[in-house]
Amino acid sequence: MAARGHVQDPNDRRLRPIYDYLDNGNNKMAIQQADKLLKKHKDLHCAKVLKAIGLQRTGKQDEAFSLAQEVATLEPTDDNSLQALTILYREMHRPELVTKLYEAAVKKVPLSEEYHSHLFMAYARVGEYKKMQQAGMALYKIVPKNPYYFWSVMSLVMQAISAQDEKLAQTMFLPLAERMVEKMVKEEKIEAEAEVQLYFMILERLGKYVEALEVIRGPLGEKLTSELQSRENKCMMLYQQLQRWPECNALAHKLLLKNPDDWQFYPSYFDSLFHLVDRSWSPPEEGEHCSEGSVHHTVADVVRFVEDRIKGEDSKESHSLRGPYLARLELMHRLRKRGCPEESLLGDPLELMVQFFEKFGDKPCCITDLKIYLHLLSPEQHVQFINRLSEAVPLWERGEEGFAFPEDTKALQRHLCVCELSRALGLHHSLDLDGKLQLITELKAHYRHGLKFGKNALKTELQFSDMYCLMAAHVYIDLWTDTGDENMVWQCLGVLEEGLSHSSSNAQFKLLLLLLYCHLGAFEPVVDLYSSLDAKHVQHDTIGYLLTRYAEPLGQFAAASQSCNFSLRFFHSNQKDTSEYIIQAYKYGAFEKIPEFIALRNRLNQSLHFAQVRTERMLLDLFLEADIVLSLEESVKAMSLSAEEDDIPWDNMRDNRDLTVFTSWDPKERQLTGEHQRQSLEEELVWLRIRSLTLRLLASLATVGHTPSQQNSQMTNENGVGDKSSVHNTLLSQLNQTLQTAAQMADKGIKYPFLGPPSTRLVQALYCGSCQCQAAALQLSVHLQELETVGLDESTELQTQICNGFKTVVVQLQEILNKCKGDLLEMKETKLKTQPSLLENLIFFVETVCIVLWMASYCAKILRPLKTSLQKKKKKKKDANTALPVVVCGFQELTGSLQDLFTQALDHIKGQETGLTALKLASLTLEGFTQEEASFTKAAMDKVQSSYLRSLQEKSNTLQTAGSR
């Protein structure tokens, strides 16, 4: 443990065995050893804390906390106890308690540099910026070192950044921070680059760009040495802020003369040119153009400069630089956008791009370089352009299929680039059915031929020809989406599985396979595919949606819950990890990184994906138990669910999904647009709101359902039930409003590109009637609360209304079940047909049945005492009428109908399982497939079949468990 390195106590020898046990994960032995030590040395505080750590790690949190507080109240000052308590509180996720520890310690040992430093870092973990400022200054007074002084300054900056009132930040916090730094500047005490960086940050946030420029260009700026061209970059940014376009232009020109391949300066160079042109700026007749030197203020000057750079590259015998050639295309793009006639000075865009291809076509980056400038070509030039490029590709070897193949990897890369550009220009999409099938044959032939170049490659390396395989898969997807022929998707799966067998680390193969299996309703193979991607850190947020979106609706609740937990572990560790990053930034003076870490933490805390997996995980856990109200109450309590509190940051939600994670060469009209992203986010938020409200309503049902029955409204209000009923009614109203919004959205029929954002479950949930049925079931709980207040003897109309509600719920459940009917997977002659929507409807049926069961159990709990009370009243009055109340009869009909629905559903699932098991995919004849292709395709079919069976078995088990109760 960390504390061992700091132990200077005579008791170190006694404590060492406990540390060793904890380090090795043997927590029980650590507890026993601590107990033995405490019998002999009752006042050995550190032993108590180490025992508490052992208790915490064995799940005895309350006992551990109690023991820790015993020591904490004694306000220890020995390093052992403090360090051990710090570790314990971190594991308990209670960093605020560490601050109290060190506050007490510095009061007792006011001159300890170490304790003051620990106190500052403790405040940093909880974001107490004002106290950090004070602690930093207190530390500086004890030990006058620059880092401590600037810790205090940075804490002022953080107060400004986090201030709700921007005026307060600009008039108090930042000016005070500026004065503190200026004091050090005047006293010539600035020592480190980090201190200059902080000064620059303060001036920049105050908008004092002139003063910031003076700092950068003055003696202090000489300390900025850690980053290449740090001073120049900052000067460039300040010139742009100050709109000093001559200086900006001259500096960019000067830097590009030094390094014509440094792309970051070309945009500044071109931007400054057009600002100068718009202002009709002209240089002075005498002297320098500006403080940075010569200015290129006309388009002709800039064209000449770019052409000169290209001539310099053309004359070189060594490797050419891409920067100048790309700069020429970028300048042409900007000139055309402005409608400048000088565009013609640069030449024909087709010739320029052919020239670029001839020089750099053997580099994988060529496609991404040229793709963004393809709009410079007219539609009539597209075929001519591809023909010109094809002429520059050496193809020599002839295969059995009659295709010419490249003889080395450079020629392969050129040919691949031509294919990619053809697709980007829409030439693939314009082909007819036979043309696309011929194109697929050619791409597969090139892929298999190219494998010979990677025979000696490591398993972790990609094959040179992988992109041919991926492109063939994209053409298969085109055919599937355009014609609906499912044979195309099976062939697509086959070719991707083949590609993955040769290139096991290709993330694009895995991502596309994952997406296709999900579209076919098969979640089982997806788990391993996603796991093999080995997503790191923030990728759990950016691409995690690919897994969690399909986890629950494809029927494998246990795997779905694990997937959500996997994502949640990352989000929950974010808070702790970010605090450590911030502390390290303070320690090493990386002050400019601290706001970035804070922004990252906020971005993850406000993540749409975080809110989604948190909500879905809790719903999944409830559905997995599928128990009666007692279990619902226990689950809600265990989750700390509150119907009253909504912890989702709706107003600050961040969509962090990477919607461009799939490699795509589609033309612009088929690409993902900003409107698609906006609509997708809107749809995701509506679905999340429906799920969140459903979860909170279930929490409300559990809470209200376990409150003792009240005899009158006065007692009801005293016990808080009235408030809970009010919350329940408010949530129901919000749910109904959200469902209306959802229905309007579903009517729009929004379609996204296949490789774009996945649609939510919203449309399917409304189509099958799941949302409506769940809302109706939850609405019944309101009427049941009214019945509980009124009683059975004076509520005939209300009872009839409740009975009608029971009937409505049963009818809606039957309709959902009817929409599950059909064959999930069927074999027709030589084709295999799937209907994954049937599986999704079945999942909605299971979810809805669970909610109806909770409502029914709540109903039984209310009716039981009411029925008993009514019978007692009848006995007192000697009423001979033994007829059951209307609502009791209706409830009995409901339970009978639910049992019938369970039987139907289980019979349906059993029939599906029998049908799936009977399918002999091995006997399926795949026409036009080679033996190898057929084996990969059948392997994919087997995975889908196996996944369907597992989903059905899980749902059968869930229904049997729920039905038995």
Side-chain angles (χ1 to χ4, degrees), residues 165-181:
D165 185 357
E166 181 63 23
K167 187 178 178 183
L168 193 64
Q170 292 293 322
T171 57
M172 187 171 84
F173 296 128
L174 289 173
L176 178 55
E178 182 189 12
R179 287 197 297 274
M180 287 180 71
V181 180

Side-chain angles (χ1 to χ4, degrees), residues 534-605:
D534 197 21
K536 301 288 190 225
H537 201 259
V538 79
Q539 287 178 318
H540 291 301
D541 186 28
T542 56
I543 66 171
Y545 72 93
L546 292 168
L547 183 69
T548 54
R549 155 63 183 89
Y550 297 101
E552 186 177 348
L554 299 185
Q556 297 182 18
F557 283 6
S561 183
Q562 288 174 4
S563 300
C564 290
N565 283 332
F566 191 68
S567 290
L568 285 173
R569 273 198 296 273
F570 158 69
F571 285 110
H572 288 151
S573 67
N574 158 54
Q575 194 75 18
K576 183 177 72 172
D577 292 347
T578 310
S579 296
E580 296 307 315
Y581 303 152
I582 292 167
I583 285 169
Q584 294 304 312
Y586 270 108
K587 281 183 178 177
Y588 295 105
F591 297 122
E592 73 279 7
K593 295 297 177 188
I594 293 172
E596 294 178 25
F597 290 140
I598 299 292
L600 173 65
R601 181 166 65 191
N602 293 339
R603 172 187 162 186
L604 293 175
N605 287 341

Side-chain angles (χ1 to χ4, degrees), residues 193 197 216 224-236:
E193 178 182 1
Q197 292 273 23
I216 298 303
L224 301 174
T225 56
S226 64
E227 294 180 22
L228 190 65
Q229 297 178 326
S230 176
R231 294 180 77 181
E232 291 85 350
N233 286 329
K234 283 181 168 55
C235 284
M236 186 76 75

Side-chain angles (χ1 to χ4, degrees), residues 281-563:
W281 185 88
S282 57
E285 294 180 5
E286 296 181 2
E288 286 285 336
H289 289 183
C290 67
S291 59
E292 291 288 354
S294 178
V295 178
H296 289 169
H297 65 289
T298 66
V299 174
D301 287 341
V302 172
V303 169
R304 194 180 309 112
F305 174 78
V306 172
E307 293 289 357
D308 287 345
R309 304 285 74 69
I310 291 172
K311 285 176 185 174
E313 292 303 311
D314 288 341
S315 63
K316 282 165 48 178
E317 293 183 5
S318 60
H319 190 62
S320 296
L321 302 174
R322 289 159 45 229
Y325 297 91
L326 283 173
R328 182 166 59 181
L329 290 169
E330 176 65 18
L331 181 58
M332 177 176 281
H333 158 67
R334 293 188 180 216
L335 290 170
R336 181 174 294 189
K337 194 174 179 181
R338 289 172 60 91
C340 296
E342 291 93 339
E343 178 195 340
S344 58
L345 295 173
L346 292 164
D348 180 5
L350 187 147
E351 295 297 332
L352 298 183
M353 283 193 264
V354 169
Q355 183 186 356
F356 187 90
F357 178 81
E358 287 171 347
K359 279 192 168 292
F360 307 107
D362 56 354
K363 297 181 182 297
C365 60
C366 184
I367 173 64
T368 51
D369 287 344
L370 289 180
K371 188 178 176 183
I372 54 177
Y373 299 114
L374 290 177
H375 66 280
L376 296 174
L377 300 173
S378 65
E380 296 77 24
Q381 290 181 305
H382 289 177
V383 175
Q384 180 191 355
F385 175 59
I386 295 301
N387 289 339
R388 287 285 305 279
L389 296 187
S390 299
E391 292 170 7
V393 179
L395 298 176
W396 302 103
E397 298 182 30
R398 288 273 172 190
E400 294 178 7
E401 301 91 341
F403 302 120
F405 297 117
E407 61 180 3
D408 58 30
T409 54
K410 288 193 173 184
L412 181 149
Q413 189 58 53
R414 285 183 178 277
H415 181 262
L416 182 58
C417 185
V418 174
C419 294
E420 291 169 333
L421 287 168
S422 298
R423 186 164 178 82
L425 288 168
L427 300 183
H428 288 181
H429 301 87
S430 62
L431 295 171
D432 59 14
L433 176 61
D434 291 336
K436 286 179 179 175
L437 291 172
Q438 177 65 19
L439 173 62
I440 288 171
T441 303
E442 184 179 348
L443 289 170
K444 288 196 293 188
H446 275 275
Y447 166 67
R448 287 163 186 153
H449 173 268
L451 291 174
K452 72 176 188 178
F453 299 121
K455 280 182 179 178
N456 299 321
L458 299 173
K459 283 187 177 181
T460 52
E461 293 178 331
L462 305 186
Q463 291 290 334
F464 291 101
S465 59
D466 274 355
M467 287 305 177
Y468 286 119
C469 182
L470 189 65
M471 199 178 301
H474 283 199
V475 182
Y476 272 129
I477 291 170
D478 293 343
L479 288 168
W480 180 37
T481 53
D482 293 345
T483 66
D485 182 358
E486 205 161 301
N487 195 39
M488 294 297 114
V489 75
W490 293 119
Q491 293 189 57
C492 182
L493 285 169
V495 78
L496 286 170
E497 291 283 8
E498 180 186 348
L500 196 59
S501 71
H502 295 294
S503 191
S504 58
S505 296
N506 192 308
Q508 286 300 319
F509 288 168
K510 294 174 184 178
L511 287 167
L512 197 50
L513 277 168
L514 185 152
L515 185 64
L516 290 169
Y517 279 125
C518 286
H519 272 276
L520 291 174
F523 188 67
E524 194 173 49
V526 167
V527 178
D528 290 337
L529 282 168
Y530 185 82
S531 177
S532 68
L533 283 169
D534 197 21
K536 301 288 190 225
H537 201 259
V538 79
Q539 287 178 318
H540 291 301
D541 186 28
T542 56
I543 66 171
Y545 72 93
L546 292 168
L547 183 69
T548 54
R549 155 63 183 89
Y550 297 101
E552 186 177 348
L554 299 185
Q556 297 182 18
F557 283 6
S561 183
Q562 288 174 4
S563 300

